[in-house]
Amino acid sequence: MRPLPRRPAAAVAALAVAATLATPLAAAPGAAAAECRTEVTGAELPDGGPHRLIDRLGLRQAWDLATGAGVTVAVIDSGVDATHPDLTGAVARGSEFAMTRDADEFARTTPLPEQDCEGHGTAVAGLVAARRSEGDRMAGVAPGARIYPVRIADGVGEASPNALAAAVNDAVDSGASVLNLSFAYPTDAEPLREAVERALADDVVVVAAAGNEGTEDVPMYPAAYDGVLAVGAVGDDGRAMDRSNAADWVDLAAYGEDLIVVSSGGSGYRQESGTSFATAQVSGTAALVRSRFPGLSGPEVAARLTGSATPAAGDEGARTGAGILDPFAALTHLEGGGGGGDGDDGAAQPGGIPVQALPTDEPLLGPTAATAVAWSAGLLLAVVLGLLAAPAVRRAARRGWRLGPDDEGAGAGAGAGAAGGAGAAGGAASDRKPPARTPAAARLGWLDGSGTPTAGRPTSPRHPNSPRNRTG
């Protein structure tokens, strides 16, 4: 947040902040004539890995889903240095509002591309949409988004409510669908309120800083207006920063402690803290959501950001609202679907995935399928039985459909079994003729001793002295 009144930016850790005299800038036709008396510059990044917000916010996973392409984020601030390499191709020409002493109070002009005396707006723009570089040492939350800068030449603290309202209206007219307001105005000024209401009515997602005064229940504007996403700040440990204002109108929080940011002056980086830079992360995430789900309305985008936030450490709801920003969760958050209220048709909200009803118990096969399976099973059984019976049928056909040796043995009992055994002694059954069949009467006679032995029954030769060969 840009504090009121203005304060010089702090130099932290190894990153130097130099206040140097700016080179006089020639005024181009239609361009602002105001020159920077002093300009904040930055230092080169020390050797290290990717920007820490990338891992902390899970941005690589989020970028697999959206980069903010096609979305414009308006930044009303101290200006944006479009000449910084990390912002190449990311910044539109924008507009500038300077205070005047006449009845109009302000004049609108076109800013010079590099003009940002304080560096605050450049830092915010970099956190929103800085392009990815080698090693991701610096990257904005939405590296595919576009920035529309609206420069307040004399600083927000010196701007009249009418000038601020005109700046908001200009941002809306530019076609921006996300509006970043990293400042906190202590007065509910009617022109500013009406301009914000117009932006919300035009379906713009308005994101504003909660402020860095460390107050409780003191309204700060535009953050305290209905429909505006008010952003607090947390430290590296996930706890609310003491200087972040606390109130029931704070909606969510993002990281705001000792962040590496893009510096004005054409190159370099600085280190900054505060709710202004937490606000930039929320604006960048809103751009990701609007890029992935262009059909969502502004209120639906805001609800998605707060509904997917991660609870903050400790009991700090008044400073962190719904919790800490989670870009990947915002892009994958499940919403809507079958709530069960009257008239609820179970349709998902735009951008959400409908929750499907539990499947009902249904038969595995319908009537037609069951009939087809039964017929198929019957045909298959018939084929199997036919294959099994084929050898027996072929043998019966070769015998002229008469009972064969095995069949006779099964029907005639032991006598046929003996005949079969004798036949086996003489050779294979397939190589001999079947034995002559004895008439039924002869067989019966054998039983009472009046007949002769059955043909084929082995008999022993009579001995000369046997009783039957003797005479007398």
Side-chain angles (χ1 to χ4, degrees), residues 40-313:
V40 172
T41 57
E44 288 303 312
L45 285 174
D47 293 336
H51 196 284
R52 61 180 180 175
L53 278 181
I54 293 176
D55 289 334
R56 186 170 294 168
L57 295 177
L59 292 179
R60 288 194 178 94
Q61 291 82 0
W63 292 334
D64 287 339
L65 303 175
T67 62
V71 177
T72 298
V73 180
V75 175
I76 299 179
D77 215 297
S78 61
V80 176
D81 185 352
T83 64
H84 195 288
D86 290 337
L87 293 172
T88 300
V91 184
R93 189 63 186 271
S95 57
E96 176 179 287
F97 289 83
M99 299 303 298
T100 63
R101 296 181 181 276
D102 55 22
D104 292 335
E105 297 184 0
F106 61 88
R108 180 188 181 279
T109 56
T110 302
L112 297 171
E114 66 273 19
Q115 198 160 13
D116 179 10
C117 301
E118 300 176 25
H120 190 276
T122 301
V124 168
L127 287 172
V128 173
R131 289 350 191 188
R132 299 180 68 179
S133 58
E134 183 178 357
D136 284 332
R137 298 179 69 193
M138 175 56 64
V141 174
R146 187 168 176 80
I147 299 295
Y148 180 84
V150 181
R151 181 174 187 258
I152 307 299
D154 301 297
V156 175
E158 303 298 329
S160 69
N162 286 329
L164 290 176
V168 171
N169 288 330
D170 181 81
V172 174
D173 292 340
S174 75
S177 58
V178 180
L179 176 57
N180 187 96
L181 304 174
S182 286
F183 62 85
Y185 206 67
T187 304
D188 179 10
E190 183 177 358
L192 178 59
R193 182 177 69 252
E194 291 178 349
V196 169
E197 289 174 350
R198 181 202 169 205
L200 295 171
D202 282 3
D203 202 36
V204 176
V205 178
V206 181
V207 188
N212 299 324
E213 290 73 24
T215 61
E216 294 186 13
D217 298 324
V218 176
M220 300 295 285
Y221 302 95
Y225 290 138
D226 289 341
V228 175
L229 272 173
V231 184
V234 298
D236 292 343
D237 58 359
R239 294 183 177 275
M241 296 175 61
D242 291 338
R243 60 188 289 199
S244 183
N245 292 339
D248 58 2
W249 41 262
V250 176
D251 295 300
L252 77 168
Y255 295 97
E257 185 175 42
D258 297 340
L259 299 174
I260 305 299
V261 297
V262 174
S263 176
S264 58
S267 65
Y269 305 88
R270 300 183 295 120
Q271 193 161 328
E272 287 282 10
S273 300
T275 59
S276 285
F277 311 105
T279 301
Q281 296 164 49
V282 175
S283 294
T285 304
L288 294 179
V289 174
R290 299 220 91 160
S291 177
R292 178 167 170 78
F293 303 114
L296 288 179
S297 67
E300 288 169 339
V301 173
R304 199 174 184 88
L305 297 182
T306 56
S308 60
T310 301

Side-chain angles (χ1 to χ4, degrees), residues 145 149 329 374 415 469:
N469 292 331

Side-chain angles (χ1 to χ4, degrees), residues 336-352:
D342 293 340
D344 188 356
D345 59 0
Q349 297 294 327

